[in-house]
Amino acid sequence: MNNFSLASLHDRLPVELFIGLRYLRARRRERFISLITIIAAAGVVLGVATLNIVLAVMTGFEEDLKQRILQFQAHVVVRAEDGPIADPEAILAKVRAVPGVAAAAAVARGQVMLSGPGGVTGVELRGIDAAGAAVLRLDRHLKGGELADLFRRHPVTSGGATAELPAIVVGHEIARQLGLLVGDPVSVISPLATPSAVGLVPRVRRHVVVGWFESAMAEYDAALAYTNLADAQRFLDLPGQATSIEVRAASLEAARAVRDRVRAVLGGGFVVEDWMDLNHTLFSALQMEKTVYFLVLLLIVLVSAFNIVAMLILVVLEKRRDIAVLKSLGATTEAIARIFHYKGMVIGVLGTLTGSALAFAFSALVERYPIIPLPKNVFYVDTLPMRFHVAHFFVVALASLLICFLATIYPARRAARLAPVEVLRSE
């Protein structure tokens, strides 16, 4: 039965591959070579699995961070080169007509200080209208209050007098630091001084907290506050103006194309950037880090390649008589070399496929069941994020197979250069 199986296999495979597979089966006196073969294959498995898992973790962190950043950032931002945009409505009309633009709105920004019962803190005040709320999708992160309250004034009674105050929505960390609740008044202080009889005095305006948001990123929760666009324009001394036009594209991937179209429509005098331009330094650093990890961990596969080289050289020394007989029977130099190329590549293919399967299974398990917790005071996520892409598996597999193939070149050439006369004479 065994002879029938081997004969059938021989009929279906090239002779060189068949011999290479036979050499993988160690005889009793070749147990050491078999051990090196197992170590080499295990090294390839470990290297490929580790590479894929690390890339999945890095990609998970990158994509999660991207999603969190874009929660409060438009896909495309338009700014004037020489200051605020003087006629935002005219610019909005042009931008909204651009193909691929899902929403666009004018935004007035400025650095201010908020003063509440718990102290004072500096924030970026953003003035938005209903369209701006849609672009930034503020309603998705509002945890307290109603978004509609942001666009109307609220009566507040103090000292027997009632005043209509503008509304403000603050981040979770700001509300916690200043001890603010929905319905509490808060003072907004602008660095722009107002002339008076006694000189320049800070510009202060009272607002009513109508809600608070939580983005799961302390950088946003502790630094952003939103108010009505018209109130922000008056307070920041931007009458009828805007600091930027913020655009949401039909999809995240379409942002670059939308940016280019908006640039072409607006012409000169404006700076148009997409989310990748705005976060170029951060994402370039993440990409560089991912590349460095890939190259460093690829050394595991490289070490395994040296094991493959050592194993194949030992096999060449052990099979010198077989090689001489094959050459005497008419095997060409290229055919002898292919035997050892096939033997090394079989180890590389099996190790690469096994390592990829292990990494895929581990990544799918962790992505489905968050079994690896992370300290909340160190990371902005509670569990290890993992995102695996087919392209990454192909890149790792190609790199692994290339290294394994290069490892077979020297032993294959050494076997091919054996002179059958000298080998048979010594035997």
Side-chain angles (χ1 to χ4, degrees), residues 19 24 27 125-126 137 139 171 192 243-244 267 272 282 289-290 294 311 317 321 327 356 368 384 390 405 410:
I19 296 174
L24 286 174
R27 292 178 292 182
L125 182 66
R126 295 183 178 181
R137 296 180 178 178
D139 57 322
L192 299 174
T243 53
S244 63
V272 184
L282 173 61
E289 187 176 1
K290 188 187 297 186
F294 176 83
M311 178 269 299
L317 295 177
R321 186 171 60 181
K327 280 196 167 185
S356 297
R368 184 180 180 93
L384 188 68
V390 176
F405 174 75
Y410 174 73

Side-chain angles (χ1 to χ4, degrees), residues 166-300:
I168 190 171
V169 172
V170 299
H172 169 68
E173 284 297 315
I174 297 174
R176 186 187 63 81
Q177 292 174 15
L178 301 184
L180 297 174
L181 299 174
V182 175
D184 288 349
V186 62
S187 297
V188 181
I189 307 169
S190 171
L192 299 174
T194 302
S196 68
V198 295
L200 297 177
V201 296
R203 183 178 299 174
V204 181
R205 176 170 293 177
R206 300 273 283 174
H207 287 64
V208 176
V209 178
V210 297
W212 57 274
F213 63 84
E214 188 172 10
S215 65
M217 287 192 70
E219 292 81 359
Y220 289 154
D221 295 342
L224 293 181
Y226 293 89
T227 189
N228 191 308
L229 176 60
D231 291 317
Q233 289 172 330
R234 284 190 294 268
F235 185 67
L236 299 174
D237 200 17
L238 296 169
Q241 299 175 333
T243 53
S244 63
I245 301 294
E246 309 213 350
V247 180
R248 181 164 293 277
S251 65
L252 189 63
E253 294 73 19
R256 180 132 295 188
V258 170
R259 180 204 66 179
D260 295 338
R261 296 189 195 115
V262 171
R263 280 180 180 171
V265 168
L266 297 182
F270 293 93
V271 177
V272 184
E273 298 175 307
D274 65 0
W275 63 271
M276 288 180 282
D277 298 325
L278 296 169
N279 302 282
H280 175 73
T281 302
L282 173 61
F283 289 115
S284 294
L286 289 175
Q287 186 60 44
M288 178 64 70
E289 187 176 1
K290 188 187 297 186
T291 303
V292 170
Y293 273 117
F294 176 83
L295 295 177
V296 170
L297 293 175
L298 199 62
L299 294 177
I300 300 177

Side-chain angles (χ1 to χ4, degrees), residues 49-64 67 358-372 374 381-389 392-393:
T50 304
L51 255 175
N52 281 312
I53 290 173
V54 170
L55 286 178
V57 173
M58 294 293 296
T59 303
F61 273 110
E62 182 180 0
E63 292 186 357
D64 191 79
Q67 292 175 0
L358 289 176
F360 181 86
F362 179 80
S363 300
L365 179 66
V366 173
E367 188 174 14
R368 184 180 180 93
Y369 305 102
I371 57 177
I372 303 180
L374 297 176
V381 289
D382 298 334
T383 58
L384 188 68
M386 299 195 73
R387 302 288 187 277
F388 53 89
H389 294 294
H392 292 164
F393 280 84

Side-chain angles (χ1 to χ4, degrees), residues 310-340:
M311 178 269 299
L312 290 178
I313 290 176
L314 290 176
V315 172
V316 171
L317 295 177
E318 182 67 29
K319 304 295 183 182
R320 293 173 73 249
R321 186 171 60 181
D322 293 2
I323 296 170
V325 171
L326 288 172
K327 280 196 167 185
S328 300
L329 293 175
T332 64
T333 299
E334 292 77 11
I336 298 298
R338 282 197 295 271
I339 292 174
F340 293 92

